[in-house]
Amino acid sequence: MPDDASIPPTPPSTALPVRRLDARSLRGLAHPLRMRILDLLTLDGPDTATGVARRLGENTGTVSWHLRHLADHGFIEEETGRGTKRERWWRAVRVSRHLDTVEFRDDPDTRGALSVYLHEIVQRDFHQVVTYLTEDWEPEWRNAGTLARWPDLRLTADQLAALNAELAAVVERHRAAALDAKANADGKGKEEGEGEGAGNVVDGAPERPVLVQVQSFPRKERDGGDGGAR
């Protein structure tokens, strides 16, 4: 089960490195505040304990402790050449985290951590959708975003896995194109003496960070329904 991004069976060269969570790393990450901190650094870039604490409404000392814990487990790293000994900058390690839930559901030592981890992912995605719906957006962005649901599919497990792989491949294709466009824009900016990443415009249109969430799963059919007779 992927967390940040699904990687197709044969990932392109632009795909993020894959980190498969083991029992130790799962226990190290499965904490509500640690997961919020990691998500913040992943989405918004490097920050200090003071900055993270201010944005999350938490105590700086508590955030500092969780930052060190995340670093010990390899989820974040210090940004060298920035900050001081008293105020270090931290950044998320850019990987695609994958978790095989089957490995942990029957293990009493990790079942609790797995439950926390999955619960926090669902809550995170829910709150991100709610935030989007309550924000003011220009009409073109409001029309471009979508909340879609297809409730009438009937698939085998292999077909569902294939569907997820196809969706991941589409997202990865767009991600690779965005990275190429950014690299070209950065190179052009340097030639013209501008700062790196100056001007977030693609083909004359402004670009923004975009979140893509994918949830696909089987559901239990109601007893006595006609679905099982097909």
Side-chain angles (χ1 to χ4, degrees):
M1 171 183 171
D3 175 6
D4 290 336
S6 295
I7 302 298
T10 306
S13 59
T14 57
L16 294 174
V18 176
R19 175 177 179 178
R20 301 193 178 278
L21 298 184
D22 56 18
R24 179 180 179 276
S25 56
L26 175 62
R27 287 192 294 266
L29 180 58
H31 183 281
L33 182 54
R34 282 199 287 275
M35 293 182 68
R36 289 172 62 202
I37 291 171
L38 180 57
D39 194 53
L40 186 150
L41 295 177
T42 300
L43 294 179
D44 297 332
D47 208 339
T48 63
T50 301
V52 171
R54 181 176 60 252
R55 293 162 69 184
L56 296 181
E58 298 287 344
N59 177 273
T60 302
T62 301
V63 168
S64 239
W65 187 88
H66 284 295
L67 284 167
R68 291 193 299 271
H69 196 85
L70 286 168
D72 289 342
H73 285 80
F75 293 107
I76 66 173
E77 59 190 4
E78 186 175 357
E79 192 165 71
T80 57
R82 190 175 184 182
T84 65
K85 290 183 179 180
R86 295 185 59 185
E87 191 74 297
R88 293 187 289 179
W89 283 77
W90 299 96
R91 65 187 176 197
V93 175
R94 287 183 55 77
V95 295
S96 173
R97 293 186 298 275
H98 281 228
L99 175 68
D100 186 353
T101 60
V102 176
E103 296 180 8
F104 306 109
R105 288 190 183 278
D106 296 327
D107 185 349
D109 293 332
T110 55
R111 190 183 301 131
L114 176 64
S115 178
V116 171
Y117 179 80
L118 296 178
H119 178 268
E120 290 303 314
I121 287 178
V122 172
Q123 290 297 309
R124 176 201 66 187
D125 291 355
F126 168 76
H127 287 298
Q128 287 172 343
V129 172
V130 170
T131 298
Y132 160 70
L133 293 175
T134 57
E135 289 174 334
D136 291 329
W137 288 94
E138 299 88 344
E140 62 269 25
W141 283 105
R142 182 65 70 186
N143 293 333
T146 185
L147 299 178
R149 182 172 181 258
W150 291 269
D152 56 347
L153 275 75
R154 299 189 65 86
L155 303 171
T156 66
D158 286 345
Q159 288 172 331
L160 178 56
L163 171 63
N164 290 330
E166 289 179 36
L167 294 174
V170 171
V171 173
E172 183 57 38
R173 174 166 55 84
H174 283 273
R175 177 180 169 275
L179 289 175
D180 287 342
K182 182 180 185 304
N184 292 334
D186 288 345
K188 183 178 180 181
K190 289 179 181 179
E191 290 175 2
E192 297 176 355
E194 300 175 357
E196 184 172 339
N200 296 319
V201 176
V202 177
D203 295 331
E207 65 173 16
R208 292 181 180 272
V210 171
L211 285 171
V212 177
Q213 299 180 0
V214 177
Q215 294 96 27
S216 63
F217 44 85
R219 67 177 182 86
K220 300 288 187 180
E221 293 186 295
R222 178 173 58 87
D223 291 342
D226 61 358
R230 297 179 188 177

